Amino acid sequence: MDSDAKLNILTEALAAAGASALAIDARGDVAISTMNDTALERDVAAFVAERLDRIGDGARLVMGRAGTRLSLTVRPTDKEGGGLWVVVVREVRGAAAHAGIEWLNADEVEARYESSAYGIVEGAASVAAPVAESYARGVPLMLEGELGAGQVEIAKRLYLDGPFADQPFVSVALDELTDRGWRHMLKSSESPLFQTGLTLCIEGWNAVGPQRLRELVSTMADTALATRCHVVLTANDMPGGSESDQVAFVTERFACAVSVAPAIAEQGAASTKA
């Protein structure tokens, strides 16, 4: 069997699994590929090549293109004495179709953080000890605080400064999920709940009803989510400064590492970054 026939077999097998693959060098030149779309192949190669100096073995990137999100898993190889990187490409199916679920790269998280009204490097630094505890014990970090204190922005800063910035950041706003979005979260193999290596930021707990809360917590616990991903749960205080019943339940159920975001008055004036 010649090499073209072997490549065709590999291409068909990957396509049946919903994937394609290519191997690139450090310049982004393609050595071999199973992709039929040459424009997409070129874009993927360039996207990965730009990031090779800051990603590790098995890094997973997310690339947006033409309204779709692509998951790219990158691994180095020394095939034939040359430095090549194998990139496995899959479409993140349903990612754009579900309001409240967003997959982002470190580049995108950085851009959003920098353009936000917050400059909370100090806030991120203040939760360093609970973050270390979260990593060590394999439990979620519960980041609480008053409304407007920037808990999600602190979560982004922790992600950018942490050890998992070569993997996607997935934000989930529970209060924005439709019925279809909830089914996707709890049942689909494409749900962020069933992935590995992500930083997963989940907000909107106060709006979740008892049944859905139990279902979500059960899924997170049964699949040992916090041992596979870095999980940051963010919550706004109730009027008067207390935590909601939902947040108290989740915190106790997972024995979360807990930190309180600095109050707005303690953060000083909001950043005026453009």
Side-chain angles (χ1 to χ4, degrees):
M1 183 180 296
D2 62 26
S3 59
D4 287 342
K6 293 178 180 178
L7 181 59
N8 286 337
I9 292 173
L10 177 60
T11 300
E12 292 173 1
L14 285 168
S20 55
L22 64 159
I24 65 171
D25 63 18
R27 298 186 304 259
D29 294 333
V30 177
I32 189 172
S33 173
T34 71
M35 302 182 74
N36 296 320
D37 186 332
T38 55
L40 177 59
E41 174 188 286
R42 183 175 59 251
D43 289 349
V44 168
F47 182 87
V48 174
E50 290 175 0
R51 294 160 176 79
L52 285 176
D53 62 345
R54 59 182 189 274
I55 61 176
D57 184 4
R60 182 177 175 185
L61 303 172
V62 180
M63 173 182 168
R65 187 180 186 274
T68 63
R69 304 293 284 178
L70 302 176
S71 171
L72 314 175
T73 303
V74 186
R75 293 191 181 279
T77 175
D78 289 326
K79 180 68 174 175
E80 298 177 355
L84 293 177
W85 285 262
V86 175
V87 184
V88 177
V89 184
R90 296 177 183 272
E91 183 177 344
V92 182
R93 291 173 291 183
H98 297 292
I101 304 174
E102 190 169 31
W103 293 65
L104 299 170
N105 263 331
D107 295 352
E108 296 166 316
V109 173
E110 180 86 53
R112 294 191 185 193
Y113 178 83
E114 291 297 330
S115 64
S116 74
Y118 296 92
I120 342 182
V121 174
E122 297 82 2
S126 73
V127 301
V131 169
E133 179 189 353
S134 171
Y135 288 152
R137 293 201 289 120
V139 298
L141 171 68
M142 175 61 78
L143 185 54
E144 303 180 25
E146 64 184 48
L147 179 64
Q151 291 91 315
V152 174
E153 300 306 319
I154 292 176
K156 290 175 183 175
R157 190 70 259 167
L158 294 173
Y159 161 73
L160 292 168
D161 294 341
F164 304 122
D166 60 352
Q167 306 285 350
F169 178 95
V170 182
S171 64
V172 178
L174 299 176
D175 52 343
E176 296 180 13
L177 293 179
T178 63
D179 290 345
R180 184 166 170 264
W182 272 100
R183 288 194 297 273
H184 172 81
M185 275 285 290
L186 296 174
K187 303 295 183 183
S188 172
S189 62
E190 301 295 327
S191 165
L193 299 183
F194 302 109
Q195 309 304 315
T196 298
L198 305 176
T199 293
L200 184 56
C201 179
I202 307 178
E203 60 178 309
W205 294 93
N206 296 358
V208 182
Q211 180 176 345
R212 283 182 170 172
L213 181 65
R214 288 193 298 271
E215 291 174 347
L216 176 56
V217 167
S218 177
T219 300
M220 292 171 63
D222 291 348
T223 61
L225 177 64
T227 66
R228 294 181 287 106
C229 298
H230 181 215
V231 181
V232 182
L233 315 177
T234 70
N236 295 323
D237 292 340
M238 299 293 287
S242 62
E243 62 182 9
S244 68
D245 292 342
Q246 296 95 320
V247 171
F249 172 74
V250 172
T251 301
E252 181 177 354
R253 176 64 180 80
F254 291 114
C256 293
V258 179
S259 184
V260 178
I264 297 173
E266 297 173 3
Q267 294 181 22
S271 169
T272 57
K273 292 180 297 187

